């Protein structure tokens, strides 16, 4: 009898724990549906665009950026002017990428996309260019954006600055599989505010872990790091295992663009760690500037290979852009001066592709 009594108490305790968890989960779900304190751009693997948003940012931490920053989103959820009524008469261009395209902490008129549009308007009358960059997005996110949004618009040209958010992303292997299942594997997360928030908090942690979060990086204050040949080779080998998946996603982007009648242009991803002064400076644990540049080059080589294979226009920004410390405020992100350099380089290589 005593054994049965103890078992009953344990079951009651388990029931209370599970019941409390379920009640708490439902309560949080209801609260988040009424008021959500966080802006989420991904719900599971479904993109939620921030339509007609305006961000006013007072910057006191990154001296290479403006003190007062205005970041606006239009009716599409992109940066730039809303589409003109006679859209088909315009040479329509969209730039797609992660944070190095969105340029979240540059004002509307300071991003490389806005500067590129301004330069193109000096040559052509009917130019409409929007910046569809989304902070944190990899090539997987670009594929979803193409399928769910860009396909309906049918712009004439899409410029892809790719790479930063794909580096070291072994988790994308599971995403590649989900693409073959029509991207339906995240339906449960997409239907829940709590689960979506949890996944996005994990993504924020992962972005910080991979060094793709925004920060004011004083490169000269970082410690020096010498690496053995064995450590370098092991790191290179780990990344080489991820390259086929990256190439497959790039190929998917090309195939979708061709299916939708869009001309794709690829742009390789530069990083400040290509600077000669930073070769032996520590980037992260067991990674210095020299190794990081080699790793980034592996991914950029895939962009070149896929572009050449498919006769896609390529701007090798990683090679053409000087690794000037004034052009970056951290590993990836462009300062105001850097954004101007990016716009100048891309303009000089694509101006003949715009009619």
């Amino acid at each position: 009898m005593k054994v049965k009594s103890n078992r009953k108490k344990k079951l009651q305790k388990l029931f209370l724990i599970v019941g409390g968890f379920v009640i708490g989960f439902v309560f949080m779900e209801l609260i988040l549906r009424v008021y959500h304190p966080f802006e989420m751009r991904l719900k599971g693997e479904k993109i939620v665009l921030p339509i007609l948003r305006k961000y006013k940012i007072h910057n006191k931490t990154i001296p290479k950026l403006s003190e007062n920053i205005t970041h606006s989103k239009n009716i599409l959820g992109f940066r730039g002017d809303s589409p003109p009524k006679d859209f088909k008469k315009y040479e329509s261009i969209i730039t797609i990428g992660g944070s190095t395209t969105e340029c979240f902490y540059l004002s509307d008129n300071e991003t490389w996309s806005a500067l590129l549009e301004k330069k193109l308007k000096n040559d052509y009358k009917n130019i409409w260019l929007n910046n569809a960059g989304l902070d944190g997005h990899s090539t997987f996110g670009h594929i979803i954006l193409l399928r769910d949004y860009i396909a309906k618009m049918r712009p004439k040209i899409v410029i892809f600055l790719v790479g930063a958010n794909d580096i070291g992303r072994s988790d994308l292997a599971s995403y590649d599989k989900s693409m073959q299942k029509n991207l339906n594997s995240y339906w449960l997360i997409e239907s829940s505010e709590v689960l979506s928030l949890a996944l996005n908090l994990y993504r924020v942690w992962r972005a910080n872990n991979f060094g793709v979060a925004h920060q004011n990086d004083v490169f000269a204050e970082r410690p020096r790091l010498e690496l053995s040949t064995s450590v370098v080779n092991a790191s290179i080998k780990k990344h080489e295992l991820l390259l086929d998946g990256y190439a497959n996603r790039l190929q998917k982007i090309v195939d979708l663009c061709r299916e939708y009648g869009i001309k794709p242009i690829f742009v390789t991803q530069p990083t400040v760690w290509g600077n000669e002064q930073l070769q032996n400076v520590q980037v992260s644990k067991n990674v210095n500037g020299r190794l990081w540049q080699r790793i980034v080059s592996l991914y950029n080589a895939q962009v070149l290979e896929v572009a050449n294979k498919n006769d896609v226009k390529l701007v090798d920004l990683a090679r053409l852009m000087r690794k000037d410390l004034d052009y970056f405020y951290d590993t990836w992100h462009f300062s105001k001066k850097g954004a101007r350099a990016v716009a100048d380089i891309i303009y000089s290589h694509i101006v003949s592709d715009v009619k």
Side-chain angles (χ1 to χ4, degrees):
M1 293 292 292
K2 196 171 185 180
V3 173
K4 288 184 179 180
S5 178
N6 288 337
R7 186 180 299 166
K8 186 177 180 181
K9 287 180 180 179
K10 287 181 180 179
L11 288 173
Q12 288 175 339
K13 186 181 290 187
L14 178 62
F15 177 79
L16 289 172
I17 292 171
V18 173
F21 175 81
V22 171
I23 292 170
F25 184 90
V26 171
F27 179 75
M28 283 295 297
E29 191 73 34
L30 292 172
I31 291 295
L32 290 174
R33 288 178 186 275
V34 174
Y35 170 71
H36 206 306
F38 305 101
E39 180 180 276
M40 295 198 302
R41 296 183 173 188
L42 275 177
K43 196 171 182 183
E45 293 307 322
K46 183 178 180 182
I47 293 174
V48 181
L49 294 175
I51 294 171
L52 295 176
R53 291 296 304 271
K54 181 169 282 192
Y55 310 90
K56 292 283 189 178
I57 303 162
H58 188 57
N59 164 48
K60 285 189 173 182
T61 59
I62 305 178
K64 295 176 185 177
L65 302 178
S66 297
E67 184 174 340
N68 294 299
I69 300 163
T70 300
H71 177 150
S72 308
K73 300 292 189 183
N74 61 25
I75 192 68
L76 301 173
F78 302 153
R79 302 190 75 172
D81 294 333
S82 292
K85 291 182 179 179
D86 48 349
F87 184 78
K88 291 184 179 180
K89 294 182 180 179
Y90 279 70
E91 188 69 13
S92 49
I93 305 170
I94 292 180
T95 60
I96 289 180
S99 55
T100 58
T101 298
E102 182 177 23
C103 300
F104 196 96
Y105 296 102
L106 291 176
S107 283
D108 294 333
N109 62 344
E110 296 174 338
T111 71
W112 66 259
S113 297
L115 295 170
L116 175 62
E117 180 182 35
K118 184 177 180 181
K119 293 176 76 68
L120 289 171
K121 281 183 174 179
N122 291 330
D123 299 290
Y124 303 99
K125 182 180 179 182
N126 289 342
I127 291 288
W128 176 84
L129 189 150
N130 260 204
N131 175 355
L134 290 168
D135 207 317
H137 274 216
S138 65
T139 44
F140 182 80
H142 308 336
I143 289 167
I144 299 173
L145 186 67
L146 272 173
R147 183 204 63 185
D148 290 353
Y149 294 96
I150 307 302
K152 301 169 186 175
M153 299 175 60
R154 295 294 203 275
K156 294 178 181 176
I157 297 173
V158 175
I159 301 172
F160 297 90
L161 173 54
V162 292
N165 293 303
D166 286 85
I167 292 176
R169 291 284 302 276
S170 57
D171 59 308
L172 288 178
S174 62
Y175 294 172
D176 293 332
K177 293 176 184 176
S178 71
M179 280 195 291
Q180 299 170 11
K181 300 175 182 177
N182 299 316
L183 304 170
N184 289 326
S185 59
Y186 281 78
W187 65 270
L188 181 60
I189 294 175
E190 290 171 4
S191 62
S192 168
E193 297 293 339
V194 175
L195 295 178
S196 294
L197 176 60
L199 181 59
N200 279 308
L201 290 175
Y202 164 70
R203 284 169 170 153
V204 170
W205 170 84
R206 185 180 60 199
N208 282 279
N209 196 43
F210 278 106
V212 292
H214 301 265
Q215 57 186 315
N216 181 41
D217 203 326
V218 183
F219 307 109
E221 295 180 0
R222 284 180 174 246
R224 313 290 286 187
L225 177 66
E226 296 289 346
L227 297 173
S228 67
T229 302
S230 61
V231 168
V232 171
N233 290 342
S235 182
I236 294 296
K237 186 176 181 180
K238 180 184 72 174
H239 286 276
E240 286 176 339
L241 297 173
L242 305 175
L243 297 179
D244 284 347
Y246 182 49
N248 290 338
R249 293 190 296 277
L250 292 169
Q251 185 62 53
K252 181 68 173 178
I253 287 172
V254 173
D255 293 342
L256 284 173
C257 284
R258 299 267 164 86
E259 179 184 340
Y260 303 142
I262 297 168
K263 179 176 183 177
I265 296 176
F266 281 166
V267 181
T268 56
Q269 177 67 63
T271 173
V272 72
W273 298 106
N275 187 292
E276 287 296 323
Q277 301 174 43
L278 304 179
Q279 296 300 286
N280 293 321
V281 172
Q282 183 173 13
V283 179
S284 60
K285 184 180 179 181
N286 292 328
V287 179
N288 61 14
R290 181 180 293 104
L291 175 56
W292 188 248
Q293 179 61 34
R294 281 189 63 186
I295 291 168
V296 175
S297 296
L298 290 174
Y299 291 82
N300 282 333
Q302 296 301 305
V303 182
L304 269 71
E305 186 174 325
V306 173
N308 289 335
K309 176 183 173 183
N310 293 276
D311 195 26
V312 168
K313 179 83 176 202
L314 177 105
V315 181
D316 196 357
L317 185 66
R319 180 179 61 84
L320 295 168
M321 185 177 180
R322 287 191 295 117
K323 309 307 181 291
D324 190 324
L325 298 184
D326 288 337
Y327 285 177
F328 300 84
Y329 61 84
D330 61 18
T331 291
W332 301 112
H333 300 109
F334 307 123
S335 64
K336 292 190 292 182
K337 187 175 179 181
R340 289 195 295 271
V342 173
D344 288 343
I345 292 169
I346 294 178
Y347 166 78
S348 67
H349 283 78
I350 73 160
V351 63
S352 60
D353 293 89
V354 181
K355 298 178 181 179

